[in-house]
Amino acid sequence: MSLLSYETSQTMLGLLEVDALRSQNVYLGESLGRVLFEDVVAKYNDPEFPTAAMDGYAILHEDLENGRIEIVGYNPAGSDEKRTLKSGECIKTFTGSMMPHGADTLIPIENVTVEDGAIIINELVPLAHAVRPIGEGYSAGDVLIKKGTKIGFAEIGVMAALGHVMVKVAQKPRVAVVSTGSEILDLGVFSDNPAQIRSSNNYTLAALFEQAGAEVVQLGTVGDDKNLIMQTLQNALSSADIVVSTGGVSVGDYDFVKDVIPRLGAEVVYKGVAIKPGKHILVAQKEKKFFVALPGFAYSSTVTAILYVLPLLAKMLGRESAYKMVASKLNEDFKKRSKLTEFTACNVTVEDNEYFVDFKDKKVGSSAILTNMLDNSALMVTGEEDGDLPQGTLVSVILLENF
């Protein structure tokens, strides 16, 4: 069987057309984890006026040489101070307060002594000390948060400061997930047959897709029955943007998924990619909806879901990329196991802004070892042309945090 190269498969995936981006308005407090549908633009400067950065006394800097300045008032945070300072006067001003008109410097409380209604200067400060200038944070018209950003705590804080009650976000794509195979037992189902195994793929992938911003329809497990698989996938397609299955894509007698999908009227984009794990992956499209059929082994299905489902989700959400890839340096020798493009679970550390890779506690074996992805693991990418790599080699690594 002729296999596409990994690079070609990713190029083809990137060229697939998805349905037009859809949006909805949600309350700011419910926007955590959602994807912005439009740029967040500042409508005014921050601050809009010179502001005190600490508690102290607003003064004219030239008055410091007098050594003594009369206190003429108080300016708590939030007050609309109308007075204009004259030479020889100061106003006690608190953190966050608008600087009084005419003042150009704030001298901290600890730099003075209060005596008979005046401050005695004990320690000088430079011009404009402790004064936040207009636009220090941002200026009117600045794009503060770009469209396609996944909303976190900082984004919510900035939008709250701008007064956003509602936020326009990308509507969540719907992904239906199903595991196939008569050997699979769903959660809560029990059997005396020791040959059966507990289903994990559909739960792993559902969590992965939700983390990436999708709404997931969990379809559980389906046995090796061609008609039942066809009916399940057909029903799933009617309500989902992407249907993801695991198992049934290899060359075995009971691998029905690869045969069923074309019969549902979907056009196979490709079947088989020169990657390890997951070379039997199938991607198909029916109008603006997609089937992605993944292998059955847990590690294999998870890796291929990251590589082939997350990019589709990113495109549907208007995001520039599905994950972050960084250049990292091998901290130990690496033995390549095949002539395919390999995705190897690894550990990543950062030292002096440089990424390093090692394989401590990562087991070498089949594509079923999902525990290799625990403990904030990453995926090291080695190409078809790569062989064994010595310590110190620069490699590409897909980071698995914060999809």
Side-chain angles (χ1 to χ4, degrees), residues 205 208-209 244 281 292 294 300-311:
L205 299 184
L208 175 66
F209 301 149
V244 179
I281 182 171
V292 183
L294 309 176
S300 182
S301 65
T302 305
V303 169
T304 47
I306 291 168
L307 300 177
Y308 293 93
V309 181
L310 295 196

Side-chain angles (χ1 to χ4, degrees), residues 15-310:
L15 293 174
L16 295 177
E17 291 188 11
V18 302
D19 208 353
L21 296 179
R22 295 163 289 180
S23 68
Q24 63 181 127
N25 290 316
V26 299
Y27 173 60
L28 177 65
E30 298 174 351
S31 67
L32 183 66
R34 300 298 294 271
V35 176
L36 272 177
F37 192 79
E38 60 186 7
D39 292 340
V40 173
V41 180
K43 294 183 178 179
Y44 48 78
N45 300 317
D46 175 47
E48 292 187 80
F49 38 75
T51 304
M54 60 178 63
D55 294 347
Y57 293 86
I59 61 172
L60 279 73
H61 187 263
E62 62 186 27
D63 286 344
L64 287 176
E65 62 187 30
N66 298 332
R68 176 187 174 91
I69 307 172
E70 295 295 320
I71 302 170
V72 297
Y74 295 86
N75 179 25
S79 63
D80 186 12
E81 180 59 57
K82 300 293 188 184
R83 287 169 290 192
T84 299
L85 275 184
K86 300 175 183 178
S87 180
E89 297 178 341
C90 70
I91 293 177
K92 191 171 186 180
T93 298
F94 297 84
T95 305
S97 297
M98 180 174 67
M99 288 290 289
H101 300 292
D104 58 15
T105 301
L106 187 124
I107 188 166
I109 289 174
E110 54 267 31
N111 287 34
V112 304
T113 301
V114 177
E115 184 179 285
D116 296 330
I119 59 172
I120 307 302
I121 309 301
N122 299 325
E123 184 178 343
L124 299 177
V125 294
L127 177 66
H129 180 76
V131 177
R132 292 187 64 209
I134 294 172
E136 179 193 51
Y138 48 79
S139 300
D142 285 352
V143 176
L144 302 182
I145 314 173
K146 292 184 179 180
K147 175 182 179 180
T149 299
K150 189 172 184 179
I151 298 171
F153 66 89
E155 287 76 16
I156 286 178
V158 169
M159 288 188 285
L162 293 173
H164 288 229
V165 177
M166 305 298 291
V167 183
K168 181 171 283 191
V169 297
Q171 195 169 20
K172 292 184 177 183
R174 299 193 80 197
V175 183
V177 180
V178 59
S179 292
T180 69
S182 296
E183 76 281 12
I184 304 297
L185 280 177
D186 207 345
L187 293 183
V189 178
F190 298 93
S191 170
D192 295 328
N193 183 352
Q196 291 190 293
I197 59 175
R198 185 64 61 194
S199 175
S200 65
N201 288 348
N202 48 322
Y203 295 98
T204 304
L205 299 184
L208 175 66
F209 301 149
E210 286 184 7
Q211 189 176 330
E215 177 185 345
V216 175
V217 180
Q218 178 62 263
L219 299 179
T221 62
V222 179
D224 290 319
D225 181 309
K226 184 178 290 188
N227 291 329
L228 185 57
I229 290 173
M230 177 175 287
Q231 188 62 53
T232 300
L233 295 184
Q234 189 168 31
N235 291 343
L237 193 65
S238 66
S239 62
D241 300 295
I242 307 174
V243 178
V244 179
S245 63
T246 66
V249 292
S250 189
V251 292
D253 292 344
Y254 295 97
D255 289 323
F256 296 134
V257 173
K258 67 181 187 301
D259 302 318
V260 164
I261 288 176
R263 291 175 59 184
L264 293 173
E267 179 182 353
V268 175
V269 180
Y270 44 80
K271 167 71 173 76
V273 178
I275 57 175
K276 181 179 178 64
K279 70 177 183 179
H280 294 295
I281 182 171
L282 182 150
V283 176
Q285 183 172 16
K286 184 174 182 180
E287 297 172 351
K288 295 297 176 64
K289 298 189 175 188
F290 300 89
F291 287 102
V292 183
L294 309 176
F297 275 145
Y299 179 75
S300 182
S301 65
T302 305
V303 169
T304 47
I306 291 168
L307 300 177
Y308 293 93
V309 181
L310 295 196

